[in-house]
Amino acid sequence: MSRQDVSMEQYLAAEEWCNSLLASEPDTPSHVFVSHPYSRLEDTIAAASRDIGLPSSSLESMMRNKYVVYVKRMTPVVRVKLIKFLSSWIVNANDCQTIVYLASELRYPPYLLARMVVERLVDLKGKKALTLVMRDPKTVLMGKDISLKLDEELCDDCYFSADRCSDICYRLAVEVQQAIDSDPLSGPRHEQERRRLGLEYEKKLEQILTRLGLPFETEDELRKRGTSKTPDVLLKCPVGLRIPTAARYPLSSQNERQSEESDDDEWKVVCWIDSKALFGDVKTHNVEVFPQAESYAHRFGPGLILYWFGHAPRDQLLNGHGDISVAAWDLTMKIMLPTGEIL
């Protein structure tokens, strides 16, 4: 895919595509909440990449951002509907409406719904116990020390024999595991992958700065000397970066410096860099990333947010009166050292 600026038209088309995915019907290839044997989410993303003209990685990241916002908005609604579902689920042992089925109908992540069910139905001792259940539901839920929270809100007759309670725990264990396995975006393995991706790009940033000979301190090093609210990298000497007026697609080689410049590009002083292994859409940047970056600017001076998967048009993003710059794809812009030398 050739390098070009991300236009407002492309950005709006990507937003519309993300919203259509979140509204997709259950049992369709593009359904983002429950994986099916015939799910084709990767193919859907690849097709949208060709149509919109943005990299697949950018569209997937943008979709995940929208997905997180959607899930937060839907959680209170799902909690209200959960009691009715559980009341029927407990009484009807052969009920075909499983946790995965309900998640698909509600357009809600199966993993998060299963977690909600366990939290309401099982008598657990704190968040740590809940985490252990979600890591290994069959082992924990079928253990001898598990007890259920069966009350009048869930069923009229709260008495169940030991065998009936055992059956409920067994069914719950099976369905929780199914929910974990069928969730394409939420759950322990996805959280681990996102953490791995974030660390990978932080390391990539450190390698680029090392290769350029720019001395810096990492977030871990800053924390060891008692500094709180730290960016990923604090430069030991401020540098100037030639910031483009709009995000550009990655160059063919990470060693290639940015050769194309616009008359509107400008030099920005940068004291720190924060690595973001995601696409910086307007809401993610303005609501979540910018307030954090603003605290860095107050403490360390002007800095740069590097969105590895691209970002929305720059004129839509808050910049703290110019103290917070935004770049995309790589650190390929020209760099001016304190001596005036340009890399």
Side-chain angles (χ1 to χ4, degrees):
M1 185 176 289
S2 61
R3 188 181 70 210
Q4 63 185 58
D5 292 345
V6 178
S7 67
M8 178 58 72
E9 182 181 2
Q10 287 174 311
Y11 179 73
L12 293 177
E15 277 204 321
E16 183 179 354
W17 172 80
C18 290
N19 292 334
S20 70
L21 274 188
L22 294 175
S24 63
E25 293 296 326
D27 298 328
T28 58
S30 60
H31 193 54
V32 298
F33 297 106
V34 179
S35 294
H36 301 287
Y38 48 85
S39 294
R40 296 291 182 271
L41 186 56
E42 289 185 4
D43 294 342
T44 302
I45 294 173
S49 174
R50 292 190 295 270
D51 293 341
I52 298 173
L54 290 177
S56 294
S57 58
S58 300
L59 290 176
E60 181 178 357
S61 178
M62 187 177 184
M63 181 266 291
R64 286 181 180 275
N65 294 347
K66 299 285 185 183
Y67 168 88
V68 170
V69 173
Y70 169 87
V71 169
K72 287 180 180 178
R73 187 176 73 247
M74 283 297 297
T75 295
V77 177
V78 173
R79 286 193 182 278
V80 170
K81 296 181 178 181
L82 183 65
I83 297 301
K84 183 178 180 181
F85 165 74
L86 283 179
S87 298
S88 173
W89 188 90
I90 291 169
V91 175
N92 302 312
N94 298 319
D95 193 348
C96 64
Q97 292 194 2
T98 64
I99 293 174
V100 171
Y101 174 83
L102 181 65
S104 181
E105 291 297 308
L106 293 176
R107 295 191 180 93
Y108 194 77
Y111 171 81
L112 296 180
L113 181 61
R115 187 181 175 92
M116 202 181 290
V117 168
V118 170
E119 192 173 23
R120 177 60 185 86
L121 199 56
V122 181
D123 188 12
L124 297 170
K125 304 296 187 280
K127 293 282 186 181
K128 186 175 181 180
L130 178 59
T131 300
L132 291 175
V133 171
M134 300 309 294
R135 284 180 182 171
D136 190 1
K138 290 186 178 180
T139 299
V140 179
L141 291 175
M142 295 172 65
K144 294 180 180 179
D145 298 330
I146 287 295
S147 59
L148 301 176
K149 295 188 293 185
L150 301 176
D151 51 39
E152 293 180 355
E153 187 180 34
L154 295 179
C155 50
D156 294 332
D157 183 2
C158 299
Y159 174 76
F160 287 91
S161 66
D163 287 343
R164 182 73 183 100
C165 288
S166 179
D167 290 343
I168 291 174
C169 287
Y170 176 78
R171 181 185 176 189
L172 181 60
V174 171
E175 291 193 18
V176 169
Q177 188 61 59
Q178 289 173 344
I180 293 171
D181 295 340
S182 66
D183 198 317
L185 296 175
S186 297
R189 70 180 186 276
H190 301 294
E191 289 297 328
Q192 290 172 4
E193 174 60 22
R194 281 192 285 276
R195 284 196 293 269
R196 184 201 64 78
L197 193 67
L199 291 173
E200 175 186 330
Y201 279 93
E202 286 176 20
K203 184 60 66 176
K204 183 177 179 180
L205 172 61
E206 293 172 14
Q207 291 170 345
I208 292 173
L209 294 175
T210 300
R211 189 179 68 246
L212 293 172
L214 299 178
F216 62 89
E217 289 181 280
T218 65
E219 185 176 18
D220 287 342
E221 290 169 339
L222 290 170
R223 285 178 175 172
K224 284 180 181 178
R225 61 182 179 91
T227 306
S228 61
K229 294 185 178 181
T230 59
D232 292 318
V233 163
L234 178 65
L235 300 173
K236 291 189 175 181
C237 293
V239 298
L241 296 183
R242 183 76 171 175
I243 304 294
T245 55
R248 292 180 180 144
Y249 285 145
L251 297 170
S252 57
S253 168
Q254 69 175 27
N255 294 318
E256 184 180 356
R257 309 308 303 159
Q258 187 68 265
S259 59
E260 297 179 10
E261 291 186 16
S262 164
D263 292 337
D264 295 327
D265 291 357
E266 57 182 334
W267 287 102
K268 289 285 190 179
V269 174
V270 168
C271 301
W272 53 266
I273 303 175
D274 209 35
S275 169
K276 296 296 180 185
L278 49 81
F279 182 90
D281 62 76
V282 173
K283 186 164 187 176
T284 298
H285 176 85
N286 292 349
V287 176
E288 296 181 19
V289 176
F290 175 76
Q292 181 186 51
E294 197 171 33
S295 70
Y296 302 155
H298 290 159
R299 176 166 296 200
F300 303 112
L304 174 76
I305 301 169
L306 179 53
Y307 287 111
W308 292 97
F309 299 133
H311 58 70
R314 190 171 276 101
D315 60 3
Q316 302 295 307
L317 305 178
L318 297 175
N319 63 14
H321 304 289
D323 284 342
I324 299 171
S325 301
V326 175
W329 317 117
D330 210 332
L331 205 62
T332 54
M333 69 287 292
K334 289 186 175 180
I335 299 175
M336 182 184 293
L337 301 180
T339 60
E341 179 186 357
I342 294 179
L343 303 178

